[in-house]
Amino acid sequence: MEAPQRNLAMDLVRVTEAAALASARWLGKGAKNEGDGAAVDAMRLSFNTLDIDGRIVIGEGEKDEAPMLYNGERIGTGRGAAVDVAVDPVEGTNLLAYGRPNAIAVVGLAPAGTMFNPGPSYYMKKLVVPAAAKGMVDMNAPVAHNLEVTAKALGKKVEDLVVFVLDKPRHKDLITQIRAAGARIQLHTDGDVAGALMAVDPSSNVDMMFGTGGTPEGVLAACAIKALGGEILAQFDPQSEDERKNVLDFGLDLTQILTTDTLVCDDNVFFAATGISGGTFLGGVSYSGTGATTHSLVLRGKTGTIRRITSTHQWDKLMRFSSIKY
């Protein structure tokens, strides 16, 4: 037995709240990089108040030339635990730019040296299932088989399942196979971290996630999947010859099946996400004129604790000292 320890996720949620509050001002304005940049600046300032010795392992932005917290950047005061950090200040920059649902600010954290470094890999195939179906799915099995075993594990029929799939041309055959098996589909234009979270969240009506999405997002989602007890299986899926060559030159194996434990090999993980644009997963930032309300999900892997936090922010007090002008 041990006394309760510090839950770093409670510090992380202040970081994601700051990013969400700053970026939500750009909702629907068609300015993807400006919204992302506001979130990055707010997140960096917030991180550097935390007593951690952090190193960014997963920093979003590089593949689309957006602002970023860059890979290898040191964050925190340097006085606390040594940790690997995965960030996506705006997961779903297009969702934010066009005012669409499910843009979120996300941070994952794990002990130093335990988070997978995907190097130059931008894309991977992913299969995400909730805790009940853990160990039952197979990345190399037919789509219909994985639907059947997941449905059985959940006590459902295949026809009852809802599968999250990104609405991309590369998924044409996948969508056909899912429909042929009888399952239902939610098609989303962006946001596969949110999709992975929906697939493992007991309160969500999504049962699985299939398809190729971002590799950095896969590592980030694995922090939450660890905490929630679900499973992610993944395999590198380069979308260009240049990416394929870079992945091979980096020493990665295109045939390897990556598991949750491959992506994050320690259970002592922390995760926080705050809604920006709102949607089926997390409520968005709501401005009142005198303040704002945010909605967040906070997870701790070691204890399995899930917190859903609604926060009210008051400008008349916050703006007296905040260096972030919301």
Side-chain angles (χ1 to χ4, degrees):
M1 305 295 291
E2 61 183 55
Q5 298 174 332
R6 179 182 172 194
N7 183 353
L8 289 172
M10 301 303 291
D11 294 321
L12 294 183
V13 74
R14 295 177 60 202
V15 175
T16 58
E17 285 176 347
L21 286 167
S23 61
R25 291 293 190 187
W26 294 93
L27 178 69
K29 294 184 178 180
K32 181 174 74 169
N33 285 356
E34 286 80 354
D36 203 20
V40 167
D41 291 343
M43 191 171 272
R44 183 178 278 117
L45 283 169
S46 299
F47 262 130
N48 287 332
T49 68
L50 303 187
D51 284 332
I52 59 171
D53 180 10
R55 180 178 67 96
I56 300 289
V57 175
I58 302 296
E60 254 295 287
E62 186 173 351
K63 66 171 180 268
D64 55 5
E65 300 181 351
M68 73 177 90
L69 281 148
Y70 60 86
N71 294 343
E73 182 174 350
R74 309 300 302 202
I75 57 171
T77 64
R79 293 192 294 267
V83 293
D84 289 344
V85 183
V87 302
D88 199 342
V90 179
E91 204 261 330
T93 52
N94 284 322
L95 301 178
L96 171 63
Y98 299 112
R100 294 169 182 158
N102 295 326
I104 57 177
V106 194
V107 174
L109 186 150
T114 65
M115 196 175 287
F116 181 76
N117 180 2
S121 172
Y122 292 150
Y123 292 95
M124 57 167 44
K125 295 178 184 176
K126 303 174 194 176
L127 170 56
V128 182
V129 293
K134 184 177 180 178
M136 297 183 181
V137 292
D138 182 347
M139 196 72 179
N140 293 318
V143 169
H145 168 82
N146 286 320
L147 292 169
E148 289 168 8
V149 297
T150 301
K152 184 176 180 180
L154 297 176
K156 297 183 176 184
K157 299 177 182 179
V158 171
E159 291 79 6
D160 299 331
L161 295 179
V162 175
V163 184
F164 180 106
V165 180
L166 289 176
D167 189 8
K168 307 291 184 182
R170 61 179 176 263
H171 291 149
K172 181 180 178 181
D173 289 343
L174 173 63
I175 291 168
T176 298
Q177 292 178 61
I178 294 171
R179 288 172 174 166
R184 300 175 293 158
I185 299 174
Q186 273 193 17
L187 288 173
H188 293 254
T189 58
D190 298 277
D192 60 338
V193 172
L197 293 173
M198 291 182 212
V200 297
D201 184 351
S203 67
S204 168
N205 65 350
V206 171
D207 300 295
M208 304 175 71
M209 188 184 84
F210 266 118
T212 293
T215 302
E217 289 88 344
V219 180
L220 182 47
C223 295
I225 293 167
K226 270 269 188 183
L228 291 168
E231 182 170 46
I232 178 172
L233 299 177
Q235 187 175 24
F236 299 116
D237 189 18
Q239 297 297 295
S240 70
E241 187 56 35
D242 283 345
E243 183 186 353
R244 181 179 182 278
K245 182 180 183 301
N246 290 338
V247 168
L248 291 173
D249 289 346
F250 191 74
L252 300 175
D253 181 359
L254 293 177
T255 66
Q256 181 184 7
I257 303 300
L258 307 169
T259 67
T260 315
D261 290 334
T262 309
L263 299 175
V264 185
C265 64
D266 195 293
D267 290 333
N268 194 25
V269 296
F270 303 90
F271 179 89
T274 300
I276 301 173
S277 61
T280 55
F281 177 57
L282 283 169
V285 176
S286 175
Y287 296 105
S288 66
T290 59
T293 301
T294 57
H295 306 273
S296 303
L297 175 70
V298 181
L299 307 172
R300 185 184 183 194
K302 185 174 181 178
T303 60
T305 305
I306 303 170
R307 288 182 171 90
R308 296 183 182 276
I309 298 175
T310 300
S311 302
T312 301
H313 311 268
Q314 300 181 48
W315 299 153
D316 62 339
K317 293 186 176 182
L318 185 59
M319 293 306 184
R320 292 175 192 170
F321 58 86
S322 176
S323 58
I324 306 170
K325 301 305 178 185
Y326 301 113

